[in-house]
Every structure is written in C-alpha cells, then in structure tokens.
Amino acid sequence: MTTKSRFRIMLAALLGLMPLMASSGMAADGAALYRGKCAMCHGPAGAGRPGTFPPLAGRVGQIAGNPDGKAYLAAVLVNGLHGPITVDGQSYKGFMPSFRALSDEDIAAVLAYVSTLGNSAAPAGISAQDVASVRAAPMDAAAVQAKRAALQTAHVIP
C-alpha cells in the first residue's frame, strides 16, 4: 500500500468521525441559552415578573411530565405565545416571541434546563426529535392558546 493510499484511508476515517466529534463537542448548553434568551424576561431563577412574564420554575418540569405537555412547551418556544394567560390565579399579559431560529437541539436543551428550575428532579426528557415534530406542524397564536386551554382543562398545565 502506498503512502498516498494510506493518507486517503486515514483522511476518509477522520472525515467519517467528524460528525460524531462535532455533535458531542458542541452539545447545546441549556443554561447558557436560558441566560442569554430567557432570563431577561422570566428572571435568572425562572421566577417570572408579576403581571408580565409567568414563572417557569417548578412548573415546566411538571408540564413536561406528560407527552402532550412536552409538545405544548416545544410549541411555545417554536411558535411563541400571544395573549393573556393565567398562572396560579395570576393574570399575565406578556408577549413570548418565537424562537424558531434556534435549532431543535437548542430548544430541547433550554426546555430540559428550565425543567430543573425550582425542581430537584432530573431534567425533562425533551428531545430534539420532540421539537422537530412540533416544528413540522407550525401553529398560529390562537392554536397555541387553544392547546394551552385544553391542557389546563386536562390538568396537564397546573
């Protein structure tokens, strides 16, 4: 075998490993994404801001414990949430923008991180595939609100 052939084999092997090396070395950091994208409204610990931005701490993990809840949470990040909502008897009139520009992995990482705020349980098992399936069926503001109302009625959203 010539040196040129060996070089080609080694190069091919390295190129074949690049996606694995990139994906493990570039895992989304949910905490950093939260601090950069969410904390300015929901607060560093997810406590929210009365009347404007609802608390996330202690709630997201509960909601994510249900498959429909996971889909709803992903839908909120992908599509945004507009209109008044009630959380623990408190009315909120904030505006949640769409974070559609984030990758499925980033959204899953943020949701996993937020599910740990105010909760000692393990992070919610929200995967990039969960987010991708929600992204494949875009929702308008009314549809996101309707999904929220149905989940509140079913006691998935406390």
Side-chain angles (χ1 to χ4, degrees):
M1 184 179 290
T2 67
T3 303
K4 193 174 189 178
S5 295
R6 284 187 203 138
F7 176 76
R8 286 183 182 161
I9 291 171
M10 286 184 354
L11 182 60
L14 282 173
L15 290 175
L17 292 175
M18 289 303 283
L20 290 174
M21 291 170 23
S23 65
S24 64
M26 298 179 162
D29 182 349
L33 288 164
Y34 178 83
R35 285 189 302 272
K37 306 274 185 202
C38 313
M40 69 181 86
C41 295
H42 292 284
R49 304 206 190 281
T52 309
F53 303 106
L56 303 176
R59 298 182 55 77
V60 171
Q62 286 182 306
I63 297 167
N66 177 291
D68 291 333
K70 283 182 190 183
Y72 165 75
L73 293 169
V76 169
L77 267 74
V78 169
N79 301 294
L81 180 63
H82 315 279
I85 63 170
T86 301
V87 175
D88 294 332
Q90 171 79 38
S91 180
Y92 293 88
K93 297 178 183 170
F95 172 87
M96 172 78 177
S98 164
F99 287 96
R100 180 173 293 282
L102 292 177
S103 70
D104 297 339
E105 292 79 9
D106 286 349
I107 290 175
V110 168
L111 288 172
Y113 172 73
V114 173
S115 75
T116 67
L117 295 176
N119 181 1
S120 61
I126 299 172
S127 70
Q129 291 79 18
D130 294 331
V131 177
S133 66
V134 167
R135 189 186 298 272
M139 301 169 74
D140 63 15
V144 176
Q145 280 283 19
K147 186 171 188 80
R148 179 181 179 80
L151 292 175
Q152 281 181 308
T153 300
H155 304 289
V156 171
I157 296 178

